[in-house]
Amino acid sequence: MNNEMNWIKSITPDTQQQPSLKVGIGDDAAIFSTETDMESVIAVDTMVEGVHFTKETMTMKALGHKALAVNVSDLAAMGAVPLYYLVSIAIPKTGWDKQELDDIYQGMRHLGNQFQMDLIGGDTVSTSKELVLTVTVVGKVEKDRHLLRSHAKPGDVLFVTGPLGLSAYGLEKLLAHGRKAADEATLAEYLKAHQYPQPRVKAGRVLAESGFKIALNDISDGIASEAMEIAQASGVRVTLHWEEIPTAPLIKEGTQEQQENWVLYGGEDFELVGTVSEADLPSLEKMFTEQGLPFFPIGRIEASDQPQVVLERNKGEVIPLTKTGYDHL
Amino acid sequence: MNNEMNWIKSITPDTQQQPSLKVGIGDDAAIFSTETDMESVIAVDTMVEGVHFTKETMTMKALGHKALAVNVSDLAAMGAVPLYYLVSIAIPKTGWDKQELDDIYQGMRHLGNQFQMDLIGGDTVSTSKELVLTVTVVGKVEKDRHLLRSHAKPGDVLFVTGPLGLSAYGLEKLLAHGRKAADEATLAEYLKAHQYPQPRVKAGRVLAESGFKIALNDISDGIASEAMEIAQASGVRVTLHWEEIPTAPLIKEGTQEQQENWVLYGGEDFELVGTVSEADLPSLEKMFTEQGLPFFPIGRIEASDQPQVVLERNKGEVIPLTKTGYDHL
């Protein structure tokens, strides 16, 4: 028996929540079954210390939450029900203690439990310098109920499921003042948006269950970049109506340039952005209202020779948006 | 458009091999269906530069091959058919060029094609120092056909699917002389075992299709450690017969201590080690012979108050094995 095996034992769940799980942690691989009317949905995302987070901006519990949340958000953007997750963690040989590692897993477990997700596998390795946390998630969605980026059509309405820019605003304050110095009373909502983003699983399920033809994306890289992905996959032009994009009070106090940076390019909002036909819009809005979920029409889709995203503001001023997401290479 | 997006486009497959794949790379997540008589099998493994490999010991093509192979080996150890893989790569900001990254993916693609596996997702991020490569694999196995570590029973025979110690021997030569200086003519078999391990998918399928009660593990950490996992999961004593363990000529030239280090503790052989009842053994050996696959009975399972692994050699000398796998923490 060694340290690694003991620690893995300590993070292994002693109960399981999904009846479709046949073999969980403890063998070479996990095994699960899938109902005949469902398909499996799978995604993977990695967070690197110094790139996606630092100990100055995130508690380890928040890191665990967020590493799982960004993955569950990908499932939400496919309209899927989250089921399982696997965690691969590369731990620096120095500078990290057991309590911090436990906190990461506690943060994941807390969010996972919210969706009855089971931790079903993973890998623990060492590294020399930065913590690298890779989460794989598995969910399920009704057969052939695909909410793809390529589904936008001219005449569709663009919508978003919540206010944008809060995570970027919160991060700016965290980078300026550090986690402990940031003014929690005033900034609570903004810090939470950055540290504890809430994946919009319920909204994704409403969209999948609606049966409507819907294009969908989650906002990890900023709405300008996500709208461009829809424009490219669907071969359309996306117009964002600046005045209709929901945001938050402190953001409104910034200059126009600041506001656009937070709202359009900031990213990590993890709201869903999508399109629906004008004919289906009223029914869809009603479904969201009935579920107590926010829903904001913020733009329109038009035919175009080439994919593009433009911003319309001040009653008719139209600006092409070209800036895109963070480039790792 | 940016570097990262262009590069991702360059590694995205333009054909798919599995008809059950519904949505591949290019959306928030991938979607696949599962036949009603099958269950899904999933595993994840990470390779870290400086821990699992260096540029001195591995070409980048070999790294790609091995990163996928060690995961497919986990599927083989569950008797599964490999189907899909997802790749998360954290790339150091300096010291790596596009050709090296392309080679990694080419190595994965080459092995993946051997099993008709589709690359269906991933993530590309940056890191400051070491390359970190995390692969998630998905396979399928017949419903309730589970080959678990906990299935060993007193009276069972322990078997292995190929010679052991070659990978450790090859690594020792690579560490001593470097990749370019290693004597390829003499060492080909040993270097290949370390750099291009072949996951025993076909053997795993024979074991799953046999319908016999079988405990199974793949040898990633050395047979002493893998046998201990079976001993612990099944609550039994595993006896390894030293003289029956298959190995290779150059290893036989070492001292007894060297031989035991390579064969019992070296690890990364990625052969399968398992147990089967004495009654089923002849049928199973016949199935392996018919498929042209090697099969070696190398020990036995006995009842025990506590899980243990012992080595029997020189006609009756019995030594308890306590050393286990590499400890990352």
Side-chain angles (χ1 to χ4, degrees), chain B:
Chain B
M1 197 60 68
N2 53 32
N3 288 333
E4 186 181 343
M5 281 175 71
N6 279 330
W7 185 65
I8 289 171
K9 201 166 276 186
S10 79
I11 55 166
T12 301
D14 45 15
T15 55
Q16 73 175 65
Q17 309 186 63
Q18 291 296 336
S20 56
L21 180 61
K22 303 297 173 157
V23 177
I25 286 186
D27 223 289
D28 300 288
I31 303 184
F32 60 91
S33 63
T34 308
E35 296 100 312
T36 50
D37 56 338
M38 300 299 258
E39 292 174 341
S40 296
V41 187
I42 186 166
V44 63
D45 254 310
T46 294
M47 292 184 73
V48 179
E49 187 181 357
V51 177
H52 298 89
F53 71 95
T54 68
K55 289 191 186 182
E56 269 302 290
T57 60
M58 297 282 276
T59 65
M60 292 309 98
K61 213 178 282 185
L63 170 62
H65 171 101
K66 190 165 177 176
L68 181 55
V70 303
N71 276 284
V72 173
S73 181
D74 280 325
L75 296 181
M78 302 303 270
V81 179
L83 296 171
Y84 308 115
Y85 64 107
L86 301 90
V87 179
S88 178
I89 187 168
I91 306 166
K93 285 188 203 297
T94 54
W96 287 78
D97 62 35
K98 190 178 165 300
Q99 186 58 51
E100 291 174 308
L101 300 176
D102 287 345
D103 284 350
I104 294 173
Y105 280 78
Q106 203 198 318
M108 288 193 280
R109 195 160 48 238
H110 190 263
L111 182 69
N113 285 343
Q114 192 183 319
F115 298 109
Q116 290 83 52
M117 295 180 83
D118 290 313
L119 172 64
I120 63 169
D123 196 11
T124 307
V125 298
S126 52
T127 179
S128 77
K129 201 167 166 199
E130 298 135 336
L131 189 99
V132 180
L133 188 56
T134 300
V135 178
T136 304
V137 287
V138 177
K140 65 180 177 182
V141 70
E142 289 77 8
K143 253 185 188 156
D144 302 321
R145 197 70 58 83
H146 301 162
L147 309 177
L148 305 186
R149 295 171 185 170
S150 57
H151 282 180
K153 306 173 305 294
D156 279 1
V157 173
L158 188 77
F159 65 82
V160 71
T161 58
L164 304 184
L166 285 76
S167 173
Y169 187 92
L171 175 60
E172 198 171 293
K173 300 304 159 192
L174 285 166
L175 289 173
H177 309 294
R179 182 160 52 80
K180 285 159 192 161
D183 176 1
E184 291 209 22
T186 323
L187 296 173
E189 191 186 356
Y190 305 82
L191 302 181
K192 195 177 166 221
H194 180 73
Q195 295 175 327
Y196 288 93
Q198 202 48 42
R200 300 307 181 196
V201 172
K202 213 171 151 188
R205 290 300 296 152
V206 171
L207 294 164
E209 287 170 352
S210 75
F212 298 146
K213 178 114 180 169
I214 281 164
L216 201 63
N217 221 346
D218 71 321
I219 302 179
S220 51
D221 275 347
I223 194 168
S225 169
E226 309 299 342
M228 182 56 96
E229 287 183 354
I230 291 176
Q232 286 171 340
S234 298
V236 296
R237 164 177 155 131
V238 178
T239 301
L240 301 170
H241 301 151
W242 174 251
E243 283 82 7
E244 290 173 7
I245 301 176
T247 182
L250 292 183
I251 291 172
K252 291 280 189 191
E253 294 176 9
T255 65
Q256 178 68 21
E257 194 189 340
Q258 281 179 316
Q259 288 189 44
E260 289 185 13
N261 272 328
W262 292 321
V263 171
L264 303 179
Y265 306 109
E268 298 204 311
D269 289 306
F270 299 107
E271 296 293 342
L272 301 179
V273 56
T275 68
V276 63
S277 74
E278 252 184 299
D280 293 329
L281 179 64
S283 310
L284 192 61
E285 285 190 295
K286 190 157 168 276
M287 291 172 196
F288 270 76
T289 307
E290 281 169 3
Q291 295 289 324
L293 296 172
F295 184 93
F296 306 90
I298 59 162
R300 61 179 190 274
I301 308 300
E302 291 155 314
S304 174
D305 288 344
Q306 52 181 13
Q308 55 175 322
V309 179
V310 301
L311 186 71
E312 200 177 291
R313 65 177 187 209
N314 298 332
K315 298 174 187 162
E317 188 189 347
V318 172
I319 306 143
L321 302 183
T322 51
K323 219 170 134 188
T324 54
Y326 185 81
D327 192 346
H328 282 277
L329 297 185

Side-chain angles (χ1 to χ4, degrees), chain A:
Chain A
M1 198 60 68
N2 54 32
N3 288 332
E4 185 181 343
M5 282 176 72
N6 280 328
W7 185 66
I8 289 171
K9 201 167 275 187
S10 79
I11 56 166
T12 301
D14 45 15
T15 55
Q16 73 175 66
Q17 309 185 63
Q18 292 294 337
S20 56
L21 181 62
K22 303 297 172 158
V23 177
I25 286 185
D27 223 289
D28 299 289
I31 303 184
F32 60 91
S33 63
T34 307
E35 297 100 314
T36 50
D37 56 338
M38 301 299 259
E39 293 174 341
S40 296
V41 187
I42 187 166
V44 62
D45 254 311
T46 295
M47 292 185 73
V48 179
E49 188 181 358
V51 177
H52 298 90
F53 72 96
T54 69
K55 289 191 185 182
E56 269 302 290
T57 60
M58 297 282 275
T59 65
M60 292 308 98
K61 213 178 283 184
L63 171 62
H65 171 101
K66 190 164 177 175
L68 181 55
V70 303
N71 276 284
V72 173
S73 182
D74 281 325
L75 295 181
M78 301 303 270
V81 179
L83 296 172
Y84 309 114
Y85 63 106
L86 300 91
V87 180
S88 178
I89 187 168
I91 305 166
K93 285 188 201 299
T94 55
W96 286 79
D97 63 34
K98 191 178 165 300
Q99 186 58 51
E100 290 174 308
L101 300 177
D102 286 345
D103 285 350
I104 292 173
Y105 281 78
Q106 204 199 319
M108 287 193 279
R109 196 160 48 238
H110 190 263
L111 181 69
N113 285 343
Q114 191 183 317
F115 298 110
Q116 289 83 53
M117 295 179 84
D118 289 315
L119 173 64
I120 62 169
D123 195 12
T124 307
V125 297
S126 52
T127 180
S128 77
K129 200 167 168 201
E130 298 135 336
L131 189 100
V132 179
L133 188 56
T134 300
V135 178
T136 305
V137 287
V138 177
K140 63 180 178 183
V141 70
E142 289 78 8
K143 252 184 189 158
D144 302 321
R145 197 70 60 82
H146 302 161
L147 309 177
L148 305 185
R149 295 172 185 169
S150 57
H151 282 181
K153 305 174 305 294
D156 279 2
V157 173
L158 187 78
F159 65 83
V160 70
T161 58
L164 304 184
L166 285 77
S167 173
Y169 187 93
L171 174 60
E172 197 171 295
K173 300 303 160 191
L174 286 165
L175 289 173
H177 309 294
R179 183 161 51 80
K180 285 160 191 160
D183 177 1
E184 291 208 21
T186 322
L187 296 174
E189 192 186 355
Y190 304 83
L191 301 180
K192 195 175 166 222
H194 179 74
Q195 295 174 326
Y196 288 93
Q198 201 50 41
R200 299 307 181 197
V201 171
K202 213 172 152 189
R205 291 300 296 152
V206 170
L207 293 164
E209 287 170 352
S210 75
F212 299 147
K213 179 113 180 171
I214 281 165
L216 200 63
N217 221 344
D218 71 321
I219 302 180
S220 50
D221 275 347
I223 194 168
S225 168
E226 309 298 343
M228 182 55 96
E229 288 183 353
I230 291 176
Q232 286 172 339
S234 298
V236 296
R237 164 176 154 132
V238 178
T239 301
L240 302 170
H241 301 152
W242 174 251
E243 283 82 7
E244 290 174 6
I245 301 176
T247 183
L250 291 182
I251 290 172
K252 291 280 189 192
E253 292 176 11
T255 65
Q256 178 69 21
E257 194 190 340
Q258 281 179 316
Q259 288 188 45
E260 289 185 12
N261 272 328
W262 291 322
V263 171
L264 302 179
Y265 306 108
E268 298 205 311
D269 289 307
F270 298 107
E271 296 294 342
L272 301 179
V273 56
T275 68
V276 63
S277 73
E278 251 184 299
D280 292 330
L281 179 65
S283 310
L284 191 62
E285 285 190 294
K286 190 156 168 277
M287 292 171 194
F288 270 77
T289 307
E290 281 168 4
Q291 294 288 325
L293 295 172
F295 185 93
F296 306 89
I298 59 162
R300 63 179 190 276
I301 308 300
E302 290 154 316
S304 174
D305 288 344
Q306 53 182 14
Q308 55 174 320
V309 179
V310 301
L311 186 71
E312 198 177 292
R313 66 178 186 208
N314 298 331
K315 298 175 188 160
E317 188 189 347
V318 172
I319 306 144
L321 301 183
T322 50
K323 218 170 134 186
T324 54
Y326 185 81
D327 192 347
H328 281 278
L329 298 185

